[in-house]
Amino acid sequence: MKPPRCLCEICTCGSDYLPYDIVKRPFRVQEEHKPKTGKIELRTTYHEDYNAHKIQPVTLVRPLERKHTTGGKLDTIPTYQDDYRSWEVQRRETSKGEHIYHPPTVKFGNSTTFQDDFVPRELNPRQSFKPPCVAKFSDVPFNSTTSHRTSYVAHQLEPKFVRSTEEYKPSNQPFEDLTTHRNDFKGLPGQLAKSCKPENAKVGSNIHFNGVTEFQDRFQPWLVSLPEVRKTREYIPPTGNMDFNSISHLDYVKHEISPAVPIRPVSNGRRTNTPFQGNTTTREDFKAWGSCRQEITKKQQEIPKPTGKFYDLTTFKSHYIPHQIIPAQSFKPVRAVVPNSAPFQDETMYRTEYTPKKQEICPANYPSPPGYVYVNTDSHGHKFFRQFTPEFSESNSNPIPKEVAVVS
């Protein structure tokens, strides 16, 4: 028996990897649980060895709270306020000498070290040794003789033939508007091009279509019970009046308490009617001086700008002599169309060498392929078929059926 092959084509994966029969793993049946008879001994070594002793509650060693209540007034003077008294301190006189500012009578000299040390000097431009770009005119007359003028021999030309103009005479014949295209291409009769497209043979069947699919065959509708709705209990309010009094409301006694007196010492603030002296050493010593902006030192231009009109005459414009151009004679041959009465040969290599082949239909497109016998279906959904192929023996000319396994 040959290995199974695909109906469409045999690939390397199908030829190298052969399917094997998968044997299911044996399922071990669990034994039914049988409870043992009798009572379980729940006593432990802790229950056997531990002896319970009677223990009295521990008495508290905390001393009793003593409340000291006196009717006298509390002395609120602390130790810091009693020991440290406020002394009258006199203001110390300043030992700074008096500096009376006298404004200067001379103008402020704002010259810098660069202005004092730098002496401006006159710039002497360096002498240029570049030759002047000026055309030198020669006293010798210009020699315009060339090799062409010396070697060229002038020949006497014949008088040019002047063709007399003919008087225009209109033609009596009708105008012939036949063009070269209409004259050369007259639409010779020929056979139509044969189409090499294979015939589109439609695969059809007269069998009634069975609308049952694999999904409808395997997945059947199951009856599903609706979820049980749990009813909520109806709220029943309690009977009677509600008591809003709490333990805090019943046991709390309100006392009249006077606010605490602050123990802050009295501030010895000094207030004087003397106006505030806001003069500082910075304001007295540093005064704003009137200053003028320094002028910008510009560098004098060394190269003078040119004056006068620009002379734009070049050597090409001065030496160029225009000449009359004579067009060259064309030696291109006249394009003449030679008519041919032979039929046009439109045969191509594709039309001559193409061999139409019959388009075979893959048997996997049929639900039950003709000439194949259904065997079984594996777990992956592949259907296996068998085909009888004729095989001739040497002694007998009758065909012998041979089984071949085919997978789809």
Side-chain angles (χ1 to χ4, degrees):
M1 184 175 180
K2 291 184 179 180
R5 65 179 179 86
C6 184
L7 288 175
C8 300
E9 60 182 359
I10 299 175
C11 58
T12 55
C13 179
S15 60
D16 296 343
Y17 298 95
L18 305 178
Y20 295 95
D21 296 337
I22 300 173
V23 182
K24 292 185 177 181
R25 189 175 181 180
F27 182 72
R28 182 180 179 183
V29 182
Q30 296 183 358
E31 297 179 357
E32 186 179 359
H33 175 67
K34 295 180 180 180
K36 296 182 180 180
T37 57
K39 296 182 179 180
I40 302 175
E41 183 67 27
L42 300 176
R43 297 186 64 83
T44 60
T45 56
Y46 182 78
H47 288 150
E48 294 291 339
D49 299 342
Y50 180 73
N51 297 326
H53 300 277
K54 293 182 179 180
I55 301 173
Q56 296 179 359
V58 181
T59 56
L60 297 176
V61 195
R62 187 173 59 182
L64 299 176
E65 184 179 359
R66 297 177 182 180
K67 295 181 179 180
H68 301 277
T69 55
T70 57
K73 188 178 179 181
L74 179 64
D75 190 5
T76 58
I77 300 175
T79 313
Y80 180 82
Q81 188 177 359
D82 191 14
D83 296 343
Y84 295 93
R85 304 287 181 175
S86 56
W87 306 95
E88 295 181 1
V89 181
Q90 297 179 359
R91 190 174 182 181
R92 183 181 297 178
E93 296 180 359
T94 58
S95 57
K96 182 179 178 181
E98 295 183 1
H99 295 281
I100 301 172
Y101 173 72
H102 300 283
T105 57
V106 187
K107 188 179 179 181
F108 178 69
N110 55 355
S111 60
T112 60
T113 53
F114 179 78
Q115 294 178 357
D116 296 339
D117 298 341
F118 178 74
V119 180
R121 298 178 182 177
E122 187 179 358
L123 295 175
N124 297 324
R126 185 179 295 179
Q127 185 180 359
S128 177
F129 294 95
K130 183 179 179 181
C133 186
V134 180
K136 296 181 180 180
F137 298 97
S138 178
D139 300 334
V140 183
F142 177 68
N143 187 11
S144 62
T145 57
T146 60
S147 59
H148 177 74
R149 292 181 180 181
T150 54
S151 303
Y152 179 73
V153 180
H155 298 278
Q156 189 176 2
L157 298 177
E158 296 179 357
K160 188 177 181 180
F161 175 73
V162 180
R163 188 175 181 178
S164 60
T165 56
E166 297 180 359
E167 187 181 357
Y168 173 73
K169 295 180 180 180
S171 178
N172 300 328
Q173 300 297 330
F175 178 67
E176 184 179 356
D177 57 348
L178 186 64
T179 60
T180 54
H181 180 77
R182 294 182 182 179
N183 189 18
D184 297 341
F185 301 96
K186 297 182 179 181
L188 299 177
Q191 297 180 359
L192 298 175
K194 297 180 181 180
S195 177
C196 302
K197 184 180 179 181
E199 297 180 0
N200 188 10
K202 185 178 180 182
V203 180
S205 177
N206 298 327
I207 305 173
H208 182 67
F209 174 68
N210 188 10
V212 180
T213 59
E214 183 181 359
F215 182 81
Q216 295 178 357
D217 190 13
R218 291 191 177 184
F219 299 94
Q220 300 295 336
W222 302 97
L223 296 176
V224 181
S225 59
L226 296 175
E228 184 180 355
V229 180
R230 184 179 180 182
K231 295 182 179 180
T232 56
R233 296 180 182 180
E234 187 179 358
Y235 174 72
I236 301 173
T239 57
N241 297 327
M242 185 173 180
D243 188 9
F244 291 99
N245 293 327
S246 62
I247 301 174
S248 177
H249 287 175
L250 296 176
D251 298 344
Y252 178 72
V253 179
K254 188 176 181 180
H255 301 277
E256 294 181 0
I257 302 173
S258 59
V261 181
I263 315 174
R264 187 175 57 183
V266 181
S267 60
N268 299 323
R270 297 180 181 179
R271 295 181 180 179
T272 58
N273 298 326
T274 309
F276 178 70
Q277 184 71 17
N279 294 333
T280 59
T281 54
T282 306
R283 292 184 180 181
E284 293 176 356
D285 297 343
F286 297 94
K287 299 293 182 178
W289 307 98
S291 60
C292 58
R293 191 173 181 181
Q294 187 178 359
E295 297 180 358
I296 301 174
T297 307
K298 293 184 179 180
K299 189 177 180 180
Q300 296 180 0
Q301 193 174 3
E302 299 177 2
I303 302 174
K305 293 183 179 179
T307 56
K309 191 177 179 180
F310 179 66
Y311 186 67
D312 58 347
L313 184 63
T314 60
T315 54
F316 180 79
K317 289 182 179 181
S318 58
H319 297 171
Y320 177 72
I321 302 172
H323 298 279
Q324 189 177 2
I325 300 173
I326 301 173
Q329 185 180 359
S330 176
F331 295 94
K332 185 178 180 181
V334 182
R335 186 177 180 182
V337 180
V338 181
N340 191 2
S341 61
F344 178 67
Q345 186 179 1
D346 56 349
E347 295 290 337
T348 60
M349 188 183 299
Y350 178 76
R351 293 181 179 178
T352 55
E353 297 183 359
Y354 176 75
T355 304
K357 297 180 182 179
K358 185 178 179 181
Q359 188 176 4
E360 297 181 357
I361 302 172
C362 182
N365 295 330
Y366 296 97
S368 58
Y372 294 87
V373 181
Y374 175 72
V375 180
N376 60 354
T377 306
D378 61 354
S379 60
H380 298 284
H382 296 284
K383 297 180 181 180
F384 289 86
F385 297 86
R386 284 202 181 96
Q387 181 187 18
F388 292 93
T389 56
E391 186 177 271
F392 296 91
S393 62
E394 296 179 357
S395 59
N396 192 4
S397 61
N398 296 329
I400 300 174
K402 183 179 180 181
E403 294 184 357
V404 177
V406 180
V407 64
S408 65

